[in-house]
Amino acid sequence: NAGVTQTPKFQVLKTGQSMTLQCAQDMNHNSMYWYRQDPGMGLRLIYYSASEGTTDKGEVPNGYNVSRLNKREFSLRLESAAPSQTSVYFCASSEWGGEYGYTFGSGTRLTVV
Amino acid sequence: EDKVVQSPLSLVVHEGDTVTLNCSYEVTNFRSLLWYKQEKKAPTFLFMLTSSGIEKKSGRLSSILDKKELFSILNITATQTGDSAVYLCAVKTGATGNQFYFGTGTSLTVIP
């Protein structure tokens, strides 16, 4: 099925460990995004990539890095995980400007202990 | 600072009731407002609104935008248990590229 695929779905890390969240879309969208969702905070943008070859910081980029590997793939890396990064992470993609909304992946539930 | 505020935070109704969810915003360079429904996993797109006073409808759901008073409402008539979800409002601004500011959502529970 066409859409946005995220892996893994669940992950538990120890403080200080690193990991990469993978995201791929097959809708030929230009723009891709990483959000985190915390109780009472809504969805907050971490990083986005308006097009292949570009990335920009969002609202809460500290502690994260991203790579837009090609048009399909956009990964999020935690270099040294902290308990404050315990959250549900969503990848999304859109056409230029996202005027017609995003298509979201199914999310990754990350717990840092 | 741009912000999007949704109310109420949570709502419990009986099947058949009509509900109105609110989204107010204070942003620079408003472009559009979107509503999403989030059940257990990823948010799914409901409506996009760009012009004041034009109602968007999809079945029992409808939404309207007031750009003068800076808010939008989402109405659900004849609610069903399948409407139970978190409803998210997101506002796109032109100031910072292709990103939206999301509200914290309204959690709707419909009981039989």
Short mmCIF file of all heavy atoms in Angstrom, two decimals, chain A residues 44-83:
data_model
loop_
_atom_site.label_atom_id
_atom_site.label_comp_id
_atom_site.label_asym_id
_atom_site.label_seq_id
_atom_site.Cartn_x
_atom_site.Cartn_y
_atom_site.Cartn_z
N ARG A 44 5.06 18.39 17.65
CA ARG A 44 6.07 19.44 17.50
C ARG A 44 7.09 19.02 16.46
O ARG A 44 7.59 17.90 16.49
CB ARG A 44 6.74 19.72 18.85
CG ARG A 44 5.82 20.35 19.89
CD ARG A 44 6.56 20.65 21.16
NE ARG A 44 6.97 19.44 21.84
CZ ARG A 44 7.83 19.40 22.86
NH1 ARG A 44 8.38 20.52 23.30
NH2 ARG A 44 8.14 18.25 23.43
N LEU A 45 7.40 19.96 15.58
CA LEU A 45 8.29 19.67 14.46
C LEU A 45 9.74 19.63 14.93
O LEU A 45 10.23 20.57 15.56
CB LEU A 45 8.12 20.73 13.38
CG LEU A 45 8.93 20.55 12.12
CD1 LEU A 45 8.48 19.31 11.36
CD2 LEU A 45 8.81 21.79 11.24
N ILE A 46 10.45 18.56 14.57
CA ILE A 46 11.86 18.43 14.93
C ILE A 46 12.72 18.96 13.79
O ILE A 46 13.51 19.88 13.96
CB ILE A 46 12.21 16.96 15.22
CG1 ILE A 46 11.27 16.37 16.28
CG2 ILE A 46 13.67 16.84 15.68
CD1 ILE A 46 11.42 14.86 16.45
N TYR A 47 12.59 18.35 12.64
CA TYR A 47 13.30 18.76 11.43
C TYR A 47 12.38 18.54 10.24
O TYR A 47 11.49 17.70 10.29
CB TYR A 47 14.56 17.91 11.21
CG TYR A 47 15.81 18.42 11.85
CD1 TYR A 47 16.18 17.99 13.13
CD2 TYR A 47 16.66 19.30 11.19
CE1 TYR A 47 17.35 18.43 13.73
CE2 TYR A 47 17.84 19.74 11.78
CZ TYR A 47 18.17 19.30 13.05
OH TYR A 47 19.34 19.74 13.63
N TYR A 48 12.66 19.24 9.17
CA TYR A 48 11.96 18.96 7.94
C TYR A 48 12.90 19.10 6.75
O TYR A 48 13.97 19.70 6.86
CB TYR A 48 10.72 19.86 7.77
CG TYR A 48 11.00 21.32 7.54
CD1 TYR A 48 10.95 21.86 6.26
CD2 TYR A 48 11.25 22.17 8.61
CE1 TYR A 48 11.18 23.21 6.05
CE2 TYR A 48 11.49 23.52 8.41
CZ TYR A 48 11.45 24.03 7.13
OH TYR A 48 11.68 25.37 6.92
N SER A 49 12.46 18.53 5.66
CA SER A 49 13.21 18.59 4.41
C SER A 49 12.24 19.02 3.32
O SER A 49 11.38 18.26 2.92
CB SER A 49 13.80 17.22 4.08
OG SER A 49 14.36 17.21 2.80
N ALA A 50 12.39 20.24 2.88
CA ALA A 50 11.46 20.77 1.88
C ALA A 50 11.62 20.06 0.53
O ALA A 50 10.66 19.91 -0.22
CB ALA A 50 11.65 22.27 1.70
N SER A 51 12.82 19.63 0.25
CA SER A 51 13.08 18.90 -0.99
C SER A 51 14.36 18.09 -0.82
O SER A 51 15.13 18.31 0.12
CB SER A 51 13.20 19.85 -2.17
OG SER A 51 14.31 20.72 -1.98
N GLU A 52 14.57 17.19 -1.74
CA GLU A 52 15.78 16.37 -1.68
C GLU A 52 17.01 17.26 -1.65
O GLU A 52 17.12 18.21 -2.41
CB GLU A 52 15.82 15.46 -2.92
CG GLU A 52 16.93 14.46 -2.92
CD GLU A 52 16.92 13.58 -4.17
OE1 GLU A 52 15.97 13.70 -4.97
OE2 GLU A 52 17.84 12.78 -4.33
N GLY A 53 17.91 16.98 -0.71
CA GLY A 53 19.13 17.75 -0.61
C GLY A 53 19.10 18.90 0.36
O GLY A 53 20.12 19.55 0.60
N THR A 54 17.92 19.17 0.95
CA THR A 54 17.81 20.25 1.93
C THR A 54 17.19 19.74 3.21
O THR A 54 16.30 18.89 3.20
CB THR A 54 16.95 21.42 1.41
OG1 THR A 54 15.59 21.00 1.34
CG2 THR A 54 17.41 21.88 0.05
N THR A 55 17.68 20.27 4.34
CA THR A 55 17.06 20.00 5.63
C THR A 55 17.08 21.28 6.45
O THR A 55 18.00 22.10 6.30
CB THR A 55 17.78 18.88 6.41
OG1 THR A 55 19.13 19.29 6.65
CG2 THR A 55 17.77 17.56 5.66
N ASP A 56 16.08 21.44 7.33
CA ASP A 56 16.00 22.63 8.17
C ASP A 56 15.48 22.25 9.53
O ASP A 56 14.71 21.29 9.68
CB ASP A 56 15.07 23.67 7.54
CG ASP A 56 15.69 24.35 6.36
OD1 ASP A 56 16.59 25.19 6.58
OD2 ASP A 56 15.30 24.02 5.23
N LYS A 57 15.90 23.04 10.52
CA LYS A 57 15.44 22.80 11.88
C LYS A 57 14.00 23.25 12.04
O LYS A 57 13.56 24.22 11.44
CB LYS A 57 16.31 23.59 12.86
CG LYS A 57 17.75 23.13 12.91
CD LYS A 57 18.55 23.98 13.88
CE LYS A 57 20.01 23.52 13.92
NZ LYS A 57 20.82 24.33 14.83
N GLY A 58 13.30 22.51 12.89
CA GLY A 58 11.96 22.90 13.27
C GLY A 58 11.95 23.53 14.64
O GLY A 58 12.86 24.25 15.02
N GLU A 59 10.93 23.20 15.39
CA GLU A 59 10.70 23.82 16.68
C GLU A 59 11.59 23.26 17.78
O GLU A 59 12.04 23.97 18.68
CB GLU A 59 9.23 23.59 17.05
CG GLU A 59 8.68 24.37 18.21
CD GLU A 59 7.21 24.03 18.46
OE1 GLU A 59 6.59 23.35 17.59
OE2 GLU A 59 6.70 24.43 19.50
N VAL A 60 11.89 21.94 17.72
CA VAL A 60 12.63 21.27 18.80
C VAL A 60 13.76 20.40 18.25
O VAL A 60 13.74 19.18 18.39
CB VAL A 60 11.67 20.43 19.69
CG1 VAL A 60 10.80 21.32 20.55
CG2 VAL A 60 10.80 19.51 18.82
N PRO A 61 14.79 20.97 17.61
CA PRO A 61 15.82 20.16 16.95
C PRO A 61 16.94 19.65 17.84
O PRO A 61 17.68 18.74 17.43
CB PRO A 61 16.39 21.15 15.93
CG PRO A 61 16.26 22.48 16.63
CD PRO A 61 14.98 22.40 17.41
N ASN A 62 17.06 20.19 19.05
CA ASN A 62 18.24 19.85 19.87
C ASN A 62 18.26 18.37 20.23
O ASN A 62 17.27 17.81 20.70
CB ASN A 62 18.26 20.70 21.14
CG ASN A 62 18.54 22.15 20.83
OD1 ASN A 62 19.02 22.48 19.76
ND2 ASN A 62 18.22 23.02 21.77
N GLY A 63 19.41 17.75 20.03
CA GLY A 63 19.59 16.33 20.35
C GLY A 63 19.31 15.40 19.18
O GLY A 63 19.41 14.18 19.34
N TYR A 64 18.98 15.99 18.03
CA TYR A 64 18.64 15.19 16.85
C TYR A 64 19.44 15.63 15.63
O TYR A 64 19.84 16.79 15.53
CB TYR A 64 17.15 15.34 16.50
CG TYR A 64 16.19 15.02 17.61
CD1 TYR A 64 15.69 16.05 18.42
CD2 TYR A 64 15.77 13.72 17.86
CE1 TYR A 64 14.81 15.77 19.44
CE2 TYR A 64 14.87 13.45 18.88
CZ TYR A 64 14.40 14.47 19.66
OH TYR A 64 13.52 14.21 20.67
N ASN A 65 19.63 14.69 14.72
CA ASN A 65 20.16 15.00 13.40
C ASN A 65 19.32 14.26 12.37
O ASN A 65 18.71 13.24 12.68
CB ASN A 65 21.63 14.58 13.26
CG ASN A 65 22.54 15.51 14.00
OD1 ASN A 65 22.59 16.70 13.73
ND2 ASN A 65 23.27 14.98 14.98
N VAL A 66 19.33 14.77 11.14
CA VAL A 66 18.55 14.13 10.09
C VAL A 66 19.40 13.99 8.83
O VAL A 66 20.40 14.69 8.65
CB VAL A 66 17.27 14.92 9.74
CG1 VAL A 66 16.25 14.84 10.88
CG2 VAL A 66 17.59 16.35 9.36
N SER A 67 18.94 13.07 7.99
CA SER A 67 19.55 12.89 6.67
C SER A 67 18.45 12.64 5.66
O SER A 67 17.62 11.74 5.86
CB SER A 67 20.51 11.69 6.67
OG SER A 67 21.60 11.91 7.51
N ARG A 68 18.45 13.45 4.60
CA ARG A 68 17.53 13.16 3.48
C ARG A 68 18.35 12.38 2.48
O ARG A 68 19.10 12.92 1.67
CB ARG A 68 17.02 14.47 2.87
CG ARG A 68 16.01 14.24 1.76
CD ARG A 68 14.67 13.83 2.26
NE ARG A 68 13.70 13.55 1.23
CZ ARG A 68 12.83 14.45 0.77
NH1 ARG A 68 12.82 15.69 1.25
NH2 ARG A 68 11.96 14.11 -0.15
N LEU A 69 18.22 11.09 2.55
CA LEU A 69 19.09 10.19 1.79
C LEU A 69 18.80 10.26 0.30
O LEU A 69 19.71 10.15 -0.53
CB LEU A 69 18.88 8.76 2.30
CG LEU A 69 19.14 8.59 3.81
CD1 LEU A 69 18.67 7.22 4.29
CD2 LEU A 69 20.61 8.79 4.13
N ASN A 70 17.56 10.40 -0.05
CA ASN A 70 17.11 10.54 -1.44
C ASN A 70 15.68 11.06 -1.35
O ASN A 70 15.20 11.41 -0.26
CB ASN A 70 17.20 9.21 -2.18
CG ASN A 70 16.60 8.07 -1.38
OD1 ASN A 70 15.43 8.15 -0.98
ND2 ASN A 70 17.38 7.03 -1.13
N LYS A 71 14.97 11.09 -2.47
CA LYS A 71 13.64 11.66 -2.42
C LYS A 71 12.70 10.83 -1.53
O LYS A 71 11.79 11.35 -0.92
CB LYS A 71 13.05 11.77 -3.83
CG LYS A 71 11.78 12.60 -3.89
CD LYS A 71 11.36 12.85 -5.31
CE LYS A 71 10.15 13.79 -5.32
NZ LYS A 71 9.70 14.10 -6.69
N ARG A 72 12.93 9.55 -1.44
CA ARG A 72 12.03 8.66 -0.71
C ARG A 72 12.31 8.61 0.78
O ARG A 72 11.38 8.37 1.56
CB ARG A 72 12.16 7.24 -1.25
CG ARG A 72 11.62 6.99 -2.64
CD ARG A 72 11.67 5.50 -2.95
NE ARG A 72 10.81 4.73 -2.05
CZ ARG A 72 11.23 3.85 -1.16
NH1 ARG A 72 12.53 3.64 -0.97
NH2 ARG A 72 10.38 3.19 -0.40
N GLU A 73 13.55 8.78 1.19
CA GLU A 73 13.94 8.43 2.55
C GLU A 73 14.44 9.62 3.36
O GLU A 73 15.23 10.43 2.88
CB GLU A 73 15.03 7.35 2.50
CG GLU A 73 14.57 6.06 1.84
CD GLU A 73 15.72 5.09 1.68
OE1 GLU A 73 16.56 5.32 0.77
OE2 GLU A 73 15.79 4.13 2.45
N PHE A 74 14.00 9.65 4.63
CA PHE A 74 14.37 10.73 5.54
C PHE A 74 14.56 10.12 6.91
O PHE A 74 13.59 9.63 7.50
CB PHE A 74 13.26 11.78 5.53
CG PHE A 74 13.56 13.05 6.26
CD1 PHE A 74 14.82 13.64 6.22
CD2 PHE A 74 12.56 13.70 6.98
CE1 PHE A 74 15.08 14.85 6.85
CE2 PHE A 74 12.81 14.91 7.63
CZ PHE A 74 14.07 15.48 7.57
N SER A 75 15.78 10.10 7.41
CA SER A 75 16.06 9.43 8.67
C SER A 75 16.31 10.44 9.79
O SER A 75 16.76 11.55 9.56
CB SER A 75 17.25 8.48 8.53
OG SER A 75 18.42 9.23 8.21
N LEU A 76 16.02 10.00 11.01
CA LEU A 76 16.22 10.82 12.21
C LEU A 76 17.16 10.08 13.14
O LEU A 76 16.92 8.92 13.46
CB LEU A 76 14.88 11.05 12.91
CG LEU A 76 14.91 11.84 14.22
CD1 LEU A 76 15.19 13.31 13.94
CD2 LEU A 76 13.58 11.70 14.97
N ARG A 77 18.21 10.75 13.58
CA ARG A 77 19.21 10.10 14.43
C ARG A 77 19.28 10.77 15.79
O ARG A 77 19.31 12.01 15.88
CB ARG A 77 20.58 10.11 13.76
CG ARG A 77 21.64 9.38 14.59
CD ARG A 77 22.83 8.97 13.77
NE ARG A 77 23.84 8.33 14.60
CZ ARG A 77 23.84 7.03 14.92
NH1 ARG A 77 22.86 6.23 14.49
NH2 ARG A 77 24.81 6.53 15.67
N LEU A 78 19.30 9.92 16.81
CA LEU A 78 19.57 10.37 18.17
C LEU A 78 20.97 9.91 18.50
O LEU A 78 21.25 8.71 18.55
CB LEU A 78 18.59 9.75 19.17
CG LEU A 78 17.15 10.26 19.19
CD1 LEU A 78 16.38 9.83 17.94
CD2 LEU A 78 16.44 9.78 20.44
N GLU A 79 21.88 10.84 18.68
CA GLU A 79 23.29 10.47 18.90
C GLU A 79 23.55 9.97 20.32
O GLU A 79 24.32 9.05 20.53
CB GLU A 79 24.19 11.67 18.62
CG GLU A 79 24.28 12.06 17.16
CD GLU A 79 25.03 11.02 16.31
OE1 GLU A 79 25.63 10.09 16.88
OE2 GLU A 79 25.00 11.15 15.08
N SER A 80 22.90 10.59 21.29
CA SER A 80 23.10 10.20 22.69
C SER A 80 21.75 10.40 23.39
O SER A 80 21.43 11.49 23.85
CB SER A 80 24.17 11.07 23.33
OG SER A 80 24.33 10.73 24.70
N ALA A 81 20.98 9.32 23.41
CA ALA A 81 19.59 9.43 23.86
C ALA A 81 19.49 9.87 25.33
O ALA A 81 20.31 9.48 26.18
CB ALA A 81 18.88 8.09 23.68
N ALA A 82 18.46 10.67 25.60
CA ALA A 82 18.18 11.15 26.95
C ALA A 82 16.73 10.82 27.30
O ALA A 82 15.89 10.73 26.39
CB ALA A 82 18.41 12.66 27.03
N PRO A 83 16.42 10.66 28.58
CA PRO A 83 15.03 10.36 28.97
C PRO A 83 14.03 11.38 28.43
O PRO A 83 12.88 11.04 28.15
CB PRO A 83 15.09 10.36 30.50
CG PRO A 83 16.50 9.95 30.81
CD PRO A 83 17.33 10.59 29.74
#
